[in-house]
Amino acid sequence: MSTRKHNETPVVTYETATDQNSNASRKYHIWTIGCQMNVADSNHVAAELEKLGYGPTDNLDEADVVVLNTCVVRQSAENKAIGKVGSLKPWKQQKPDRTLALMGCMVGIKPSPQLQSAFPYVDVFMPPSEATPLINHLRQHEIEAEMAAMEREQLARRYQLQDEVQPIGTAQSIRHLALSGEAPVAAYVPVVYGCSHACTFCIIPFRRGVERSRPVQEIVNEIRGLVEQGVREVTLLGQIVDRYGYDWRGDLGNSATVAAYTGGPEARQEQHHYDLADLLREVHEIEGLWRIRFLTSHPNYMTDRILEAVRDLPKVCEHIEVPIQAGDDEVLARMRRGYTSADYRALVEHIRAVIPNVAIHTDIIVGFCGETEEQFERTYQVLRDLKLDKAHLARYSPRPGTVSARRMVDDVPEEEKIRRHKRLEALQEEISAAINARYLGETVEVLVEDRHKGKWRGRTRQNKLVFVECDLPLRGRLIQAQITWTGPWSMQGRFVRDVSPLPDRVEAPKQIFSIDITA
């Protein structure tokens, strides 16, 4: 019988492994070492795996998934865990599509780079009491398809607003949306109608006419009305939103004839000197509004005035949408974009220097008129080098009435457009996954918008989609969430605290655990 000093904490170490078998087509095996909490955690993981259709097996060779739940309280337990994970390297190499997961105290809240480097063949590193990373890894393809569909739906709504909406009023009512549910937490507000830039592929100038900036006070009043209806975040919309106010100064035309507005001593004294930076400051003063975004911007008009407003105004999110459209200078010239690939690279570098923790999104068209394989490769290189947070990709198709449809030949075969699109899609998925992986274990601010398949859905300041599993009423709340799983299109986290600027905040019920370890 072991002895211990008075008041020394007793430690009971268990070592268990799956000892049951099932007839399931997919099987799991769990090895556990540590305290009762680890045993309970392994049971929870087993339950989640069984929900996906996996069954237990005591035969490692039959297992599709192996979970090692570890302990580091005693050196002997840690040594056993290290030996166990090392012994499974041949098992993984034999069939690379198997899943090996490492869980528990050896992993901690966030796996260290040293641990990941020591065991590169481990697929999933799971914090204690957290099954989500493993389940999401096993559902990866399903989740990615679902998130991609969600992003396409959001993008389609945005394009519809930009393409079709005409100036039909000075206020919005969202109360009708609550008849079949709850009114939205985030809303779009057009601030510039039409477009005077006239890219050769774009139909907007022909559908919506020249640029017309809405009066500042009209926009502010509309947003105040939305806030009164429960909106917490607004996105200011314009086909080229960073040209807001240019039409008041007579600055129409494309970037070859219109210089970016940098302000002057007369700025903000009269409305006709306002630009987007001034509008952001006016909207920032609206009480009850928590977040502000704007899109879409043109590289040539993304001035320091705008970037500094994003940096300095707490409500404006660190999220910039600035399309490149193509990475080859000849293609950009045919598109009449007004900048070169080198100009765009320099802009991205400058944005990152001015705004800490900024997320940059872009748009790219593949297969534009006359685009050669060599020219496409330059676009691929730009995307690879800049490592932007997100790229909205589209295959070129001529829109009737546009310059490209009337004067250029759509000479890239559709199958080639599809191939190029898929190459960029695969590259961006890899980049987005790597960027999002940096958030694992971090605590981020999330504005919760609604519920989706039993989980709360919201976005970070960088516009990253986050799902939070929590029974508390979080809709419309600004919360902190600790990220427990990341993928290329979304992340998942656990609720930490409510940080809404409201007198009443949601609090998680306090939990007290009592474990008898003397038995």
Side-chain angles (χ1 to χ4, degrees), residues 146-271:
E146 187 177 328
M147 294 306 103
M150 197 177 295
E151 290 295 332
R152 286 195 299 271
E153 180 183 347
Q154 182 190 40
L155 195 61
R157 286 202 306 269
R158 182 184 108 191
Y159 287 158
Q160 183 179 10
L161 277 168
Q162 291 177 313
D163 287 2
E164 307 294 346
V165 172
Q166 296 293 333
I168 57 175
T170 61
Q172 292 187 52
S173 173
I174 56 175
R175 299 187 190 281
H176 66 287
L177 299 175
L179 296 177
S180 59
E182 295 181 277
V185 173
Y188 292 111
V189 177
V191 300
V192 182
Y193 293 115
C195 182
S196 297
H197 192 276
C199 298
T200 57
F201 56 80
C202 186
I203 193 65
I204 297 301
F206 304 97
R207 282 194 178 177
R208 296 187 52 194
V210 298
E211 284 170 347
R212 289 97 69 210
S213 300
R214 295 179 63 192
V216 175
Q217 196 57 50
E218 180 178 293
I219 295 169
V220 169
N221 289 342
E222 178 174 327
I223 295 173
R224 282 184 179 141
L226 289 170
V227 171
E228 289 174 1
Q229 297 174 70
V231 167
R232 300 300 186 189
E233 174 183 301
V234 294
T235 300
L236 309 181
L237 285 180
Q239 188 64 22
I240 301 182
V241 71
D242 47 357
R243 278 171 60 119
Y244 176 80
Y246 278 50
D247 52 307
W248 294 330
R249 295 184 296 276
D251 295 343
L252 301 179
N254 63 38
S255 57
T257 59
V258 177
Y261 177 67
T262 57
E266 79 286 353
R268 299 196 75 194
Q269 293 178 8
E270 297 181 31
Q271 176 169 291

Side-chain angles (χ1 to χ4, degrees), residues 451-469:
R451 208 167 179 87
H452 178 77
K453 294 189 175 180
K455 296 179 180 178
W456 291 110
R457 176 175 62 182
R459 294 184 182 269
T460 69
R461 293 179 61 88
Q462 288 76 18
N463 205 40
K464 296 187 182 298
L465 192 61
V466 178
F467 291 88
V468 177
E469 197 162 2

Side-chain angles (χ1 to χ4, degrees), residues 447-490:
L447 177 60
V448 180
E449 298 178 16
D450 55 19
R451 208 167 179 87
H452 178 77
K453 294 189 175 180
K455 296 179 180 178
W456 291 110
R457 176 175 62 182
R459 294 184 182 269
T460 69
R461 293 179 61 88
Q462 288 76 18
N463 205 40
K464 296 187 182 298
L465 192 61
V466 178
F467 291 88
V468 177
E469 197 162 2
C470 181
D471 293 331
L472 297 171
L474 299 182
R475 191 179 185 283
R477 295 280 173 165
L478 204 60
I479 69 167
Q480 288 183 339
Q482 185 183 48
I483 301 303
T484 59
W485 176 87
T486 65
W489 316 125
S490 68

Side-chain angles (χ1 to χ4, degrees), residues 376-415:
F376 166 74
E377 286 298 329
R378 293 194 182 99
T379 297
Y380 186 93
Q381 290 165 11
V382 168
L383 199 61
R384 180 196 63 198
D385 294 347
L386 293 181
K387 293 180 171 54
L388 305 176
D389 290 71
K390 186 179 292 185
H392 305 297
L393 308 175
R395 300 190 297 274
Y396 172 72
S397 61
R399 306 285 294 275
T402 61
V403 174
S404 62
R406 289 183 283 113
R407 301 180 184 176
M408 301 179 187
V409 179
D410 179 20
D411 55 356
V412 180
E414 185 62 24
E415 58 270 22

Side-chain angles (χ1 to χ4, degrees), residues 411-425:
D411 55 356
V412 180
E414 185 62 24
E415 58 270 22
E416 178 61 19
K417 292 177 183 177
I418 293 172
R419 186 191 70 83
R420 295 176 185 180
H421 185 278
K422 287 182 177 179
R423 278 197 67 200
L424 291 185
E425 196 171 47

